[in-house]
Amino acid sequence: MKYLVRDKMLAIGDDYWIEDEEGRHAFLADGKALRLRDTLELRDPQGRVLITLRERLFGALGLPGLPEAMTLERDGKRLAVIRRKRLSLLRNHFRVTMSEGTELDVSGRILDREFKVEYEGELLALISRQWYRIRETYAVDVVREEADAALMVAVAVCVIRMAERERE
């Protein structure tokens, strides 16, 4: 299933509907204003919070020497932490460490919105602009049926945000 995501959806105070490939509302990206760090809630069409994306506090404060990370939470508990992969020759390589210890690998051309999310070499999602010609938009194609679509969208948003911050 493909989900259409606006490119700058993590703007503070910004709300935006993420639609599926049929044009139906799938998730509401609810940006929270007036916070010390970036916070975004991914909600279902009924308004229930599915995943909360938070910038790591140290990264928000801009303290030197501390790696930027983003935390994903579900039901008030840490679901995953996303960081740049340290021992990689590829600049656009991120690791998603799930709370139970498993890891997802994110690699590709992040700033071009052309990358993939894998688990132990198995493709979970493809992120690409090639399917849609709508300006400032990319698609998150959740390839595996049993993959958590909200998690795949959240991972895509986080790694793009982190890569853009690093570029700045």
Side-chain angles (χ1 to χ4, degrees):
M1 174 73 72
K2 290 180 185 149
Y3 298 92
L4 190 62
V5 183
R6 192 176 77 203
D7 210 5
K8 301 290 182 187
M9 70 179 261
L10 200 55
I12 299 292
D14 197 16
D15 293 348
Y16 175 74
W17 279 105
I18 297 169
E19 298 176 346
D20 66 16
E21 58 193 327
E22 308 286 322
R24 297 179 300 239
H25 289 170
F27 306 108
L28 175 65
D30 183 5
K32 297 297 179 188
L34 303 174
R35 303 277 171 105
L36 180 59
R37 55 188 174 171
D38 283 347
T39 301
L40 180 103
E41 292 177 344
L42 201 58
R43 297 174 177 265
D44 68 11
Q46 292 74 39
R48 292 183 296 261
V49 176
L50 301 173
I51 296 179
T52 301
L53 296 70
R54 293 187 199 280
E55 180 182 44
R56 183 174 166 188
L57 183 58
F58 298 120
L61 295 175
L63 297 176
L66 295 172
E68 182 174 345
M70 291 195 80
T71 302
L72 304 178
E73 298 173 1
R74 179 174 278 152
D75 299 326
K77 297 176 185 162
R78 182 181 299 179
L79 175 63
V81 175
I82 302 173
R83 290 184 178 89
R84 175 167 300 287
K85 193 168 183 179
R86 291 286 172 219
L87 300 174
S88 173
L89 298 175
L90 300 174
R91 182 170 161 79
N92 292 307
H93 205 158
F94 290 82
R95 175 178 291 138
V96 181
T97 305
M98 303 299 294
S99 59
E100 75 274 0
T102 60
E103 292 182 349
L104 305 181
D105 190 53
V106 181
S107 63
R109 296 184 331 266
I110 308 293
L111 293 174
D112 292 334
R113 309 319 187 246
E114 299 292 335
F115 58 97
K116 60 187 174 182
V117 180
E118 296 177 304
Y119 172 67
E120 294 186 348
E122 189 171 340
L123 183 65
L124 298 178
L126 284 172
I127 292 73
S128 179
R129 279 195 170 143
Q130 72 180 355
W131 295 301
Y132 296 97
R133 298 292 177 224
I134 301 170
R135 191 169 177 238
E136 305 263 334
T137 304
Y138 60 92
V140 176
D141 184 8
V142 180
V143 177
R144 298 246 342 237
E145 277 187 38
E146 64 274 9
D148 182 340
L151 176 62
M152 295 299 107
V153 169
V155 166
V157 169
C158 285
V159 297
I160 289 169
R161 179 68 174 163
M162 291 170 72
E164 286 179 342
R165 283 263 172 105
E166 205 170 85
R167 181 181 61 185
E168 294 170 358

